[in-house]
Amino acid sequence: MAPVAQRATIRYTEADGLETALRGADVLFVYDFLSQAIPGAWQGADRLRWLHIAATGVDPVMFDDLIASDVVVTNTRGVFDRPIAEYVLAQILNFAKGLPESQRLQAEHRWRHRNGERIAGATALVVGTGAIGREIARLLRAVGMRVRAVGRRARRDDPDFGVVGDDLLAALPHADYVVAIAPLTPSTRHMFDARAFAAMSPRTRFINVGRGELVVTDDLVAAMRSGTIAGAALDVVDPEPLPAGHPLWDLPDVHLTPHNSGDTAGWREELVAAFASNFANWIAGRPLDNVVDKELGYVPA
């Protein structure tokens, strides 16, 4: 934050002091990108002109008063694209090569031959055509997978990447892997429900690296228990953190990680550096990077 401190007075605050710290502030840097404190402190935003969130998803700050205001919102698009794509590939390999079962057998000192699966030629459906979704597609294609996508907008530069939204249920039955990376908006909340899981093939593995609220969790549990789908890798869940007694902990072929698919060495420093770079734009009167369309809930491509 040193470059910012040279040009501005910085107030650091926890959630309980946010309303007071907001008074007279021009810029709010939401470093705790999962904080729910901003709506309750909003009456203190008497001079705010710009809010930057240290995340790609902006759903924690998309409440009615902010959307209706003149406050510009930016996000930190770009920091997590490749790490999340690598995570998705790792989970696909995890399923295809049966690595969790190999680890279990090793712990039991059992030598048992098993066949794996090829991922070359398998089909991945990426749900979300933003920057991270495109990076996932590039990496999966590089290892020989067929990639299709469902998103709000078709990609003119890639005719296979952008089957527009209403085709989700039609696309699901043909996917070996379904990757959820859509932004959380009113139109995407609970998009993966019982009907969506029923449309998938019994061989499908579901990977969620978007938001837990994209999924109706009880419907996912039911789909796993019934064999409607073959597996799930979840970096995000609803509720989050997952309660200790939740059935997802113990279901076979469910792989859980604690919302860290994009977190690689140095990621916190990258988030701060991205804000400092955008702050330099703001001070100089240049256009800000990664301006969010507050009605859509994401940065338009």
Side-chain angles (χ1 to χ4, degrees):
M1 292 290 286
V4 179
Q6 293 173 2
R7 301 296 303 272
T9 299
I10 302 177
R11 303 170 184 166
Y12 294 94
T13 182
E14 300 292 340
D16 57 2
L18 179 58
E19 181 179 338
T20 299
L22 270 175
R23 297 194 186 281
D26 299 288
V27 180
L28 173 61
F29 176 26
V30 184
Y31 181 72
D32 179 3
F33 52 84
L34 294 178
S35 174
Q36 301 296 315
I38 298 168
W42 191 244
Q43 61 184 2
D46 54 358
R47 207 171 85 178
L48 196 68
R49 291 187 281 161
W50 169 35
L51 182 154
H52 179 89
I53 186 168
T56 302
V58 298
D59 48 281
V61 299
M62 285 294 105
F63 56 98
D64 290 345
D65 287 345
L66 173 59
I67 293 171
S69 74
D70 294 329
V71 175
V72 176
V73 176
T74 59
N75 73 355
T76 317
R77 187 172 67 164
V79 171
F80 300 111
D81 299 9
R82 186 67 179 196
I84 291 177
E86 291 173 355
Y87 173 95
V88 170
L89 176 58
Q91 289 290 9
I92 289 173
L93 289 167
N94 209 23
F95 283 122
K97 306 308 176 185
L99 299 182
E101 177 68 2
S102 295
Q103 292 171 336
R104 185 184 68 80
L105 292 171
Q106 179 180 344
E108 296 173 359
H109 296 186
R110 296 172 61 192
W111 189 274
R112 192 177 78 193
H113 180 269
R114 294 171 300 116
N115 292 329
E117 303 170 12
R118 295 176 184 267
I119 64 170
T123 299
L125 178 68
V126 179
V127 183
T129 55
I132 299 176
R134 297 196 300 277
E135 187 65 23
I136 291 169
R138 279 191 286 269
L139 189 56
L140 298 188
R141 283 175 173 162
V143 296
M145 297 186 72
R146 295 192 294 262
V147 181
R148 296 300 307 279
V150 170
R152 187 182 178 102
R153 298 172 185 231
R155 309 297 311 182
R156 285 191 299 256
D157 56 343
D158 187 342
D160 289 330
F161 199 73
V163 181
V164 177
D166 290 343
D167 291 298
L168 174 62
L169 292 179
L172 289 172
H174 310 291
D176 300 295
Y177 297 91
V178 174
V179 182
I181 187 57
L184 180 60
T185 68
S187 64
T188 63
R189 184 179 297 272
H190 293 167
M191 67 190 303
F192 292 101
D193 57 8
R195 194 165 66 130
F197 291 120
M200 297 180 193
S201 164
R203 71 178 183 277
T204 298
R205 278 70 171 251
F206 175 69
I207 301 171
N208 190 4
V209 286
R211 284 286 188 262
E213 295 88 344
L214 297 175
V215 178
V216 179
T217 303
D218 289 346
D219 291 355
L220 173 59
V221 170
M224 288 298 305
R225 283 175 168 165
S226 66
T228 300
I229 62 174
L234 309 172
D235 186 53
V236 289
V237 291
D238 181 27
E240 189 174 307
L242 197 66
H246 199 281
L248 283 175
W249 286 110
D250 299 310
L251 281 172
D253 296 313
V254 172
H255 307 152
L256 297 170
T257 52
H259 203 147
N260 65 349
S261 62
D263 300 349
T264 55
W267 68 279
R268 295 182 185 276
E269 290 78 8
E270 289 185 62
L271 293 178
V272 175
F275 169 70
S277 175
N278 225 6
F279 180 80
N281 291 333
W282 189 74
I283 284 291
R286 296 189 296 265
L288 293 171
D289 296 328
N290 300 333
V291 175
V292 173
D293 183 318
K294 293 189 290 184
E295 294 296 333
L296 294 177
Y298 54 86
V299 178

